[in-house]
Amino acid sequence: MAAVERAIASLGERRPNEIDACTIFAALGIPSAPSAVIRAPGDPVNLGFPVVAKVLSADVPHKTNVGGVVIGLNDEREVREAAAGIIERVSQRCPEATLDGILVQRMERGLVEVILGFRRDPEVGPIVVLGVGGVLAEVYRDVAIRIAPTTPDEARSMIDEVRGLAVIRGYRNLPKGDCAALAEAIVAFSGLAAIESAAIAEAEINPLLVKAAGEGVVAVDGLIVLQRK
């Protein structure tokens, strides 16, 4: 966990935004989609297309709710217009938020979206949560929960427990997802329970895309909330 400790220490007193969260996820061994930060709508982007544009701010954890996300951008003109619109909408709806720029992220595809969460429950202690992800994650409530940190066997049992993940377990000859990589990500994420320098109160990747068997997983959105000592 030394790399995670260093990533957290580099924040100083600053609250982590999405780029910071993805840096911490990478230190855990969970890859994120290639991305870049632009400070103004006209700044160049060198990621290839299509891309997604998102507001980058620790003060805006739920970006979609405030018009802070635009997907399917196919050229620099569309990125420029989307970035300008995001800044205008978020500034109107969250006037107190500090904006760190616009996060431009290459669009990724997977067989399924999952939500991977971590939090310190006041009664049972640190837990890790796996469920069907995306914008409807809170509607379906199709989740598996374990005490963190988990073992590989516990991680695999979580995948088996979530009904919506049957589609990547070989259901009716559908393409199998990379359940091995997902289990590894669950174990790694649950390791946040061991962080001591600045306790992580909450963390979430939503969605984490699960690709075809052998192709891994990739995080395309995430947040971390620190509980400073």
Side-chain angles (χ1 to χ4, degrees):
M1 288 295 167
V4 178
E5 296 269 4
R6 288 193 296 271
I8 293 173
S10 70
L11 294 170
E13 296 301 314
R14 181 169 59 85
R15 291 189 297 145
N17 58 32
E18 185 179 341
I19 284 288
D20 300 319
C22 288
T23 299
I24 293 170
F25 300 153
L28 291 168
I30 302 173
S32 299
S35 60
V37 178
I38 60 175
R39 304 298 176 182
D43 290 349
V45 177
N46 299 305
L47 293 172
F49 295 97
V51 296
V52 179
K54 301 184 280 186
V55 63
L56 183 63
S57 173
D59 298 321
V60 188
H62 302 293
K63 297 178 279 289
T64 302
N65 294 351
V66 295
V69 179
V70 181
I71 67 172
L73 304 172
N74 294 303
D75 55 42
E76 290 195 5
R77 177 187 60 81
E78 291 185 3
V79 172
R80 182 171 62 253
E81 293 175 355
I86 288 170
I87 293 171
E88 180 179 2
R89 288 189 297 274
V90 175
S91 296
Q92 289 176 349
R93 298 173 188 178
C94 304
E96 302 301 319
T98 297
L99 306 188
D100 300 325
I102 298 295
L103 177 62
V104 181
Q105 187 179 70
R106 193 168 70 197
M107 290 191 69
E108 296 275 355
R109 296 185 180 277
L111 297 181
V112 71
E113 297 181 352
V114 303
I115 180 172
L116 186 54
F118 169 87
R119 67 185 175 89
R120 297 182 187 274
D121 186 276
E123 295 184 0
V124 301
I127 59 173
V128 63
V129 181
L130 174 72
V132 174
V135 295
L136 296 179
E138 294 182 1
V139 174
Y140 290 122
R141 296 287 183 181
D142 181 14
V143 300
I145 302 173
R146 296 291 187 279
I147 299 295
T150 64
T151 66
D153 285 344
E154 288 172 331
R156 287 189 289 270
S157 72
M158 292 176 74
I159 297 170
D160 291 339
E161 194 173 306
V162 178
R163 297 185 300 276
L165 297 185
V167 294
I168 61 169
R169 298 195 298 260
Y171 178 75
R172 293 192 176 182
N173 295 319
L174 289 172
K176 289 186 177 181
D178 201 334
C179 292
L182 177 56
E184 291 175 1
I186 295 167
V187 172
F189 206 67
S190 73
L192 293 173
I195 301 300
E196 297 179 356
S197 62
I200 293 180
E202 298 178 40
E204 181 180 283
I205 303 175
N206 184 24
L208 177 70
L209 300 182
V210 182
K211 299 192 173 189
E215 296 181 4
V217 298
V218 60
V220 294
D221 200 355
L223 64 86
I224 283 180
V225 178
L226 297 181
Q227 178 180 304
R228 302 285 187 179
K229 288 186 176 182

